[in-house]
Amino acid sequence: MQKKDADYEMLKKLIHQKLGFNCEQYKDSHFKRRIDVRLRATNSKTYGEYVACLQTDRNEFPELMETLTVNVTNFFRNPEVYDVIEKQVLPAIIKAKSTGLRSIRIWSAGCSIGVEAYSIAMLLKHLLGDDFKRYSIKITGTDIDKESLARAQRGVYSRMEVKDVRPAFLNKFFTKEGNDYVINDELKKITQFKKQDLISGPKMSGFDAVFCRNVTIYFEKELQEKLYMDFYNALSKDGFFVMGKTETLLGPSKDTFKPFNSKERIYQK
C-alpha cells in the first residue's frame, strides 16, 4: 500500500475512533471532497499532515465533524413536496387515526438541525386545529451529529433558516428573540431528537411516515438498498416513505414500496 493510501486509511480509522463516524459506508469521492475542505483550511498538503493536525489540535475534530455532516437546511425546503404532504399524506394519516388511540408517529431520519421535524409538526397542528390535543403525536428526529441535535432541541433559528415559513406560521409557531426565531413549546412537546446511526444503530419501527431526504445520496449503493428496506420495515401498514428528489429506490425496495407520488418521491408500504 502506498504511503498516501496508508495515511488515508489511518485518517478514516482515526475519524471512526474519535467521532464514531463510519467512513466506510460513504462514497469515496464524496468523503474525500469533504475531507479536502479541512485539508485546505488547515494548510495540510497531505492526508498524513492532516492526521498530524488532528492529533495535535483538539479543536479540529469538531470542525471536521461539522464539515462531514453539513447540509443546506431550512424550513419547508422543496415546497412542492410539502404541498403534497400537507394536502394528501398527512390528511391520509389523520383519517386513518381518527378513531381508537389516535396515535401518530413520524420519523425524520438524518434530521440535522430539526427543521424537517418542526415543519411537519407545524403542518399537523395546522391541519388538526382544535383536535390537535386529542391526538398523541410524536415526531422523532435522529442524526449522528451531536451539535445539530443540540440545535434541534433548542429550536432557535436564523432569519435565513425560516425564510420559507409562511407568515401565518411564523407568527403562530415562533417567538422572535432579537434576530432569532424560537419554536414554541407546543411543537417542542411533540418532537424529540436523539443520536442514531442509520447504519449500525438499533432498528426502529411503528411509524406512520418516515422522512429521509438527501441523506442516502452519500452512501454506497449496497447500503442504500439495505436502508430503504430498513425504512420499509420501520413503517406501519400503509405508512409513507418520503425520500429526496435526487434519490431513487434501489434493490428489493423498488418492488415492495408502491408509488404514491413518484414525481415528489413519496411511496407507501
Side-chain angles (χ1 to χ4, degrees):
M1 189 188 284
Q2 292 178 329
K3 175 145 185 6
K4 187 180 172 190
D5 292 343
D7 288 341
Y8 179 58
E9 291 306 316
M10 170 74 181
L11 175 58
K12 289 201 293 191
K13 202 165 155 190
L14 195 62
I15 290 169
H16 193 224
Q17 275 169 358
K18 298 285 188 189
L19 296 175
F21 187 91
N22 192 341
C23 322
E24 293 304 331
Q25 310 286 5
Y26 283 75
K27 290 177 185 163
D28 235 16
S29 56
H30 164 75
F31 189 69
K32 282 182 172 169
R33 263 204 313 276
R34 294 272 164 116
I35 295 284
D36 287 347
V37 170
R38 293 314 306 160
L39 259 74
R40 287 195 296 275
T42 54
N43 292 318
S44 305
K45 303 275 182 291
T46 62
Y47 294 125
E49 278 184 29
Y50 187 60
V51 166
C53 167
L54 280 170
Q55 286 166 333
T56 52
D57 181 1
R58 51 195 285 259
N59 294 322
E60 180 53 27
F61 272 114
E63 294 287 347
L64 173 59
M65 189 65 172
E66 172 74 11
T67 304
L68 288 173
T69 56
V70 73
N71 50 3
V72 184
T73 186
N74 51 285
F75 287 89
F76 298 103
R77 191 173 173 207
N78 301 122
E80 60 288 354
V81 179
Y82 278 104
D83 197 45
V84 179
I85 289 159
E86 179 177 2
K87 291 179 180 158
Q88 296 172 36
V89 173
L90 293 179
I93 292 171
I94 291 166
K95 189 178 175 199
K97 303 282 182 165
S98 56
T99 55
L101 281 173
R102 294 196 164 147
S103 154
I104 295 175
R105 297 284 177 268
I106 290 172
W107 178 16
S108 170
C111 67
S112 184
I113 58 171
V115 292
E116 180 175 78
Y118 287 130
S119 293
I120 299 161
M122 284 183 240
L123 291 176
L124 275 170
K125 176 77 177 88
H126 172 65
L127 290 167
L128 286 166
D130 294 339
D131 283 342
F132 183 72
K133 287 186 166 57
R134 297 169 65 191
Y135 285 77
S136 160
I137 299 168
K138 180 64 77 187
I139 299 168
T140 303
T142 63
D143 207 283
I144 53 166
D145 184 34
K146 284 202 293 240
E147 293 284 313
S148 294
L149 290 167
R151 272 206 67 196
Q153 255 147 357
R154 284 197 302 274
V156 180
Y157 297 98
S158 68
R159 185 185 301 154
M160 199 57 201
E161 285 155 351
V162 301
K163 69 183 172 63
D164 293 330
V165 178
R166 58 187 88 154
F169 280 13
L170 211 50
N171 291 332
K172 194 173 178 184
F173 300 126
F174 292 85
T175 309
K176 195 158 189 297
E177 292 182 6
N179 290 323
D180 293 328
Y181 293 81
V182 185
I183 285 279
N184 73 15
D185 287 343
E186 195 172 24
L187 295 191
K188 276 189 183 169
K189 275 198 192 91
I190 64 164
T191 49
Q192 62 171 5
F193 297 97
K194 60 183 190 180
K195 191 169 185 216
Q196 155 87 330
D197 186 341
L198 288 176
I199 299 156
S200 54
K203 300 294 166 244
M204 300 187 8
S205 63
F207 294 99
D208 301 299
V210 173
F211 289 72
C212 186
R213 299 164 70 214
N214 310 312
V215 175
T216 64
I217 42 173
Y218 303 127
F219 295 148
E220 294 289 1
K221 184 169 171 286
E222 293 72 29
L223 185 65
Q224 290 181 8
E225 288 186 14
K226 182 181 169 300
L227 282 175
Y228 293 149
M229 284 315 294
D230 285 348
F231 293 140
Y232 183 85
N233 294 325
L235 288 168
S236 302
K237 183 178 178 291
D238 297 327
F240 292 89
F241 175 50
V242 185
M243 63 198 302
K245 296 293 281 284
T246 58
E247 295 164 320
T248 315
L249 288 176
L250 299 166
S253 66
K254 273 211 310 268
D255 304 315
T256 42
F257 277 110
K258 61 181 181 195
F260 181 79
N261 185 319
S262 308
K263 183 169 177 276
E264 301 307 338
R265 299 287 195 273
I266 300 171
Y267 300 88
Q268 203 170 8
K269 184 160 179 167

